[in-house]
Amino acid sequence: MRLRRAFSTSVAKVIPIDSELRTRAEARDAADPLRRFREAFHHEPGGPVYLNGNSLGRMPLRAADVLARTQSEWSERLGRGWNEGWMDAPLRLGAKIAGLIGAEPDEVAIAESTSVNLYKLAHAALAIQAPRKKIVSDALNFPSDLYVLEGVARAFGGELEVVPSRDGIRIAPEDVEAAIDKETALLALTHTSFKTSALHDMNRLTAAAHAKGALALWDLSHSVGAVPTDLHGAKADLAVGCSYKYLNGGPGAPAFMFVRRELQEKLVQPIWGWLGHAEPFRFGLEYQPAEGIRRFVSGTPPVISMLAMEPGIDLIAEAGMAAIREKSIDLGSFLIELWEAWLEPLGVGLGSPRDASERGSHVSLTHPEGLAITLALKEANRAILDFRQPDCIRFGLAAVYNSFGDVFEAMKAIREVLETRSFEAFREKRVAVT
Ligand SMILES: *Cc1c(COP(=O)(O)O)cnc(C)c1O
């Protein structure tokens, strides 16, 4: 009797906990108000759990229709296509993105990549801030942003000051405030950190920049489509961001840039291309910048990838940023709960703020074997996550298509990889894109 009881309780200890968590995940999914959006995206039958939408979002099914339509426009309309919607797309789609980030429709344009847009706006900002020539950013910013900012600062004979992180997860706002001084031309920060998911307080830091006479530029790459932002509410001057992450715009989809209306006529961006000219088709020999946001555009828009972005933007707008944020927080809290129950005892750390109000829409877990673990999960066709040096495994939570069941399955898979040590076979493996 005694033995049997002891035996059945020890079994009961493991299985009901997992199944209870699974049942909870299923109940959350059944009650999810965004549930129908999952079916708007392509899912490979029997494919792995995809928690990588912070790097490249899933493909909206409607994007395939847009690509097919664009292909026939290309083949049948050819050059007539420019006047039949192609040339207007950068501002038309920019206006749609404006609605997601707290901007006015005539304050956002789509062009180039985030890095190039950052260069153009930072350069334009330094040009009107002379003799100030210092840029302030932080050590958790995306390295491409830091490279671009340093290049711009040096081109003006200035320097980039990088505010360090005290805990490796966040940047203390008071440290940013202390770095902004009378020499500072521009404060350029990324709202949600690509690695740790830590959020900056946009209102507070924009106000701190303005108080010292600096302009404030925000990179929204990991926020747009995931974390509500109110650029006007914060009085932000400039912003840039990606469209292929939580906006699901597709690989290499062009980026966006925001310039507050009152600044548009004052700023002159450095790449004086014909499509930012007041009258591109007059082909005059003198550069005359266009009025409004169009002056920040340089060359011909990448029509195919730009049009393919639209369904992703529309789906995010239909779902609504408030509902997206609410679900994203719930997914993240569930993930952290599973981490605590299953993975913390196995030596996995939490590399993101625990408090949801300080976190964007991904959660990072840390482990010294992080790369081998993500490769083992991919190879076993269990979960697609990504890895950022030195030890950071990122779980991107895209509220429009990820479920609580996805979180459960991915966390269960990583637990099994750790328990069976199947990651050991991947220690020596090298991949170009992690
Ligand atoms: C993803 C990302 C980029 C990407 O820049 P591209 O020039 O579009 O490749 C830039 N900045 C941040 C903060 C990002 O997260």
Side-chain angles (χ1 to χ4, degrees):
M1 278 295 280
R2 271 193 142 173
L3 256 175
R4 269 186 63 191
R5 270 236 311 271
F7 174 74
S8 62
T9 25
S10 77
V11 170
K13 236 182 194 168
V14 183
I15 297 164
I17 291 174
D18 279 18
S19 65
E20 188 254 326
L21 288 167
R22 187 195 293 275
T23 306
R24 259 181 49 207
E26 284 165 1
R28 297 296 290 269
D29 286 332
D32 172 12
L34 297 182
R35 198 179 163 183
R36 70 185 173 89
F37 286 92
R38 187 173 172 92
E39 307 315 317
F41 292 86
H42 177 78
H43 297 262
E44 183 195 345
V49 173
Y50 193 73
L51 295 184
N52 199 206
N54 56 325
S55 180
L56 177 67
R58 274 194 183 277
M59 188 190 79
L61 293 174
R62 286 188 233 155
D65 302 334
V66 170
L67 286 168
R69 196 178 71 219
T70 308
Q71 181 188 346
S72 58
E73 284 172 9
W74 176 13
S75 57
E76 288 155 27
R77 303 307 296 159
L78 287 167
R80 290 166 289 185
W82 291 114
N83 286 323
E84 294 171 1
W86 295 350
M87 207 52 126
D88 302 334
L91 301 197
R92 188 175 63 78
L93 298 185
K96 287 192 175 193
I97 290 180
L100 303 175
I101 57 178
E104 295 296 325
D106 61 356
E107 292 177 319
V108 179
I110 296 183
E112 283 99 28
S113 65
T114 306
S115 305
V116 173
N117 291 335
L118 178 64
Y119 172 79
K120 292 201 276 193
L121 297 191
H123 193 288
L126 262 70
I128 57 159
Q129 288 281 64
R132 294 168 178 244
K133 51 194 177 192
K134 180 171 113 175
I135 302 179
V136 172
S137 191
D138 72 64
L140 294 179
N141 201 349
F142 193 61
S144 183
D145 290 31
L146 296 177
Y147 308 151
V148 167
L149 294 169
E150 180 156 29
V152 170
R154 285 204 198 169
F156 282 85
E159 60 168 31
L160 172 67
E161 181 170 338
V162 178
V163 177
S165 168
R166 300 182 192 189
D167 62 1
I169 291 183
R170 306 166 187 78
I171 302 289
E174 52 274 27
D175 292 350
V176 178
E177 286 165 344
I180 307 168
D181 58 22
K182 291 203 174 74
E183 309 287 303
T184 308
L186 179 68
L187 173 69
L189 300 173
T190 292
H191 183 233
T192 305
S193 164
F194 81 106
K195 199 188 280 190
T196 72
S197 198
L199 285 176
H200 272 304
D201 183 338
M202 187 186 285
N203 291 22
R204 172 174 171 175
L205 296 178
T206 301
H210 290 169
K212 295 275 171 60
L215 293 170
L217 185 161
W218 290 93
D219 188 329
L220 305 182
S221 290
H222 279 276
S223 300
V224 64
V227 185
T229 53
D230 182 0
L231 290 172
H232 269 284
K235 301 190 164 60
D237 301 298
L238 306 162
V240 295
C242 271
S243 63
Y244 50 78
K245 294 171 179 164
Y246 294 105
L247 284 184
N248 310 301
F256 64 88
M257 58 191 148
F258 155 89
V259 179
R260 185 159 57 82
R261 194 184 287 131
E262 307 87 275
L263 272 179
Q264 290 175 1
E265 307 302 314
K266 294 187 188 139
L267 294 182
V268 179
Q269 59 104 347
I271 305 176
W272 293 9
W274 67 312
L275 291 185
H277 192 283
E279 292 179 278
F281 288 90
R282 243 189 66 217
F283 295 103
L285 300 186
E286 298 273 313
Y287 180 71
Q288 169 76 50
E291 281 183 13
I293 192 72
R294 200 165 64 75
R295 67 170 55 195
F296 297 92
V297 171
S298 298
T300 304
V303 173
I304 298 171
S305 49
M306 186 169 314
L307 296 179
M309 285 167 60
E310 189 162 9
I313 302 169
D314 287 344
L315 285 167
I316 293 291
E318 284 167 39
M321 287 307 303
I324 285 174
R325 177 64 172 160
E326 194 177 327
K327 180 175 168 190
S328 142
I329 286 177
D330 289 346
L331 290 169
S333 305
F334 186 51
L335 190 147
I336 290 174
E337 191 185 328
L338 296 181
W339 160 74
E340 202 167 27
W342 295 344
L343 303 186
E344 197 182 17
L346 296 173
V348 178
L350 178 62
S352 290
R354 195 180 180 124
D355 179 345
S357 67
E358 294 179 30
R359 202 173 63 227
S361 200
H362 68 277
V363 176
S364 290
L365 300 181
T366 57
H367 191 281
E369 303 274 6
L371 179 57
I373 292 167
T374 56
L375 294 175
L377 288 164
K378 201 178 298 183
E379 189 72 14
N381 207 34
R382 296 286 299 274
I384 307 295
L385 308 172
D386 71 11
F387 172 75
R388 290 293 175 262
Q389 290 289 351
D391 60 356
C392 172
I393 305 170
R394 299 193 303 178
F395 294 74
L397 304 170
V400 280
Y401 56 75
N402 281 134
S403 62
F404 291 86
D406 287 343
V407 171
F408 179 89
E409 293 304 332
M411 294 298 274
K412 190 160 165 283
I414 193 169
R415 184 182 77 181
E416 286 167 20
V417 162
L418 287 163
E419 282 171 349
T420 60
R421 302 190 71 78
S422 65
F423 63 84
E424 286 175 357
F426 296 89
R427 274 182 179 148
E428 304 304 321
K429 195 146 182 241
R430 293 283 168 269
V431 284
V433 176
T434 60

